[in-house]
């Protein structure tokens, strides 16, 4: 069983600048088949935006998604972990802050994301969440 974040994190990262439009980010998520994108500015992690963030914080507010920037929809106060963080501690952080995805940082740079789904697959692959998270999406 994996013991550290590095053992289960997703290391294929997709990032955009804060000025990217909500539409462009949604299209990137669709094209890359992902549910979260990092917001990077001047080589610094500024936030994370999920597909849910786009709907709740941008689209539901109205306005033109071509004109609205992803900065207005992203999570700003970033809580992160390191690749060597214990999985139990990462799970506690996610629970305490009610978050589904944690950016993984090493020497000030993002190197991965660990998600609730990653945890479910690792900890209880037979659970409904683990089973759903492990399934390949229908195209």
């Amino acid at each position: 069983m994996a013991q550290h974040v590095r053992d289960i994190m997703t290391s294929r990262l997709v990032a955009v600048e804060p000025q990217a439009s909500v539409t462009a980010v949604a299209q990137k998520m669709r094209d890359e088949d992902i549910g979260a994108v990092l917001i990077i500015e001047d080589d610094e992690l500024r936030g994370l935006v999920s597909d849910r963030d786009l709907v709740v914080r941008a689209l539901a507010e109205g306005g033109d998604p071509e004109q609205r920037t992803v900065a207005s929809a992203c999570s700003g106060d970033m809580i992160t972990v390191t690749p060597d963080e214990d999985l139990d501690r990462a799970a506690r952080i996610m629970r305490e802050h009610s978050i589904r995805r944690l950016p993984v940082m090493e020497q000030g740079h993002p190197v991965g994301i660990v998600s609730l789904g990653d945890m479910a697959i690792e900890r209880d692959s037979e659970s409904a969440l683990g089973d759903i998270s492990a399934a390949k999406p229908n195209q």
Side-chain angles (χ1 to χ4, degrees):
M1 185 182 264
Q3 296 299 311
H4 297 98
V5 168
R6 82 168 58 256
D7 299 327
I8 67 167
M9 71 181 194
T10 299
S11 56
R12 190 179 127 250
L13 301 175
V14 176
V16 297
E17 292 185 345
Q19 301 81 16
S21 75
V22 166
T23 300
V25 174
Q27 291 168 341
K28 186 174 281 284
M29 286 179 173
R30 178 200 60 207
D31 296 346
E32 298 286 334
D33 193 27
I34 56 174
V37 172
L38 297 177
I39 311 302
I40 306 283
E41 183 176 42
D42 299 327
D43 279 338
E44 300 254 345
L45 179 64
R46 299 292 184 203
L48 178 142
V49 67
S50 70
D51 44 8
R52 184 177 191 281
D53 292 333
L54 292 181
V55 171
V56 173
R57 295 184 182 157
L59 298 177
E61 295 294 321
D64 183 355
E66 281 290 333
Q67 300 301 314
R68 188 166 195 150
T69 66
V70 72
S72 67
C74 76
S75 302
D77 293 332
M78 295 307 307
I79 299 165
T80 64
V81 293
T82 67
D84 296 319
E85 197 82 53
D86 181 84
L87 284 180
D88 289 335
R89 177 158 160 55
R92 277 194 309 276
I93 291 168
M94 293 171 91
R95 185 173 28 258
E96 288 169 9
H97 297 279
S98 299
I99 53 179
R100 293 171 176 84
R101 294 175 179 92
L102 272 173
V104 182
M105 302 289 286
E106 190 167 47
Q107 298 177 354
H109 299 287
V111 295
I113 295 177
V114 65
S115 72
L116 184 61
D118 296 330
M119 292 276 193
I121 291 168
E122 176 59 30
R123 295 294 170 98
D124 189 4
S125 60
E126 299 301 314
S127 69
L129 181 57
D131 189 45
I132 292 165
S133 297
K136 299 290 182 212
N138 293 330
Q139 294 292 327

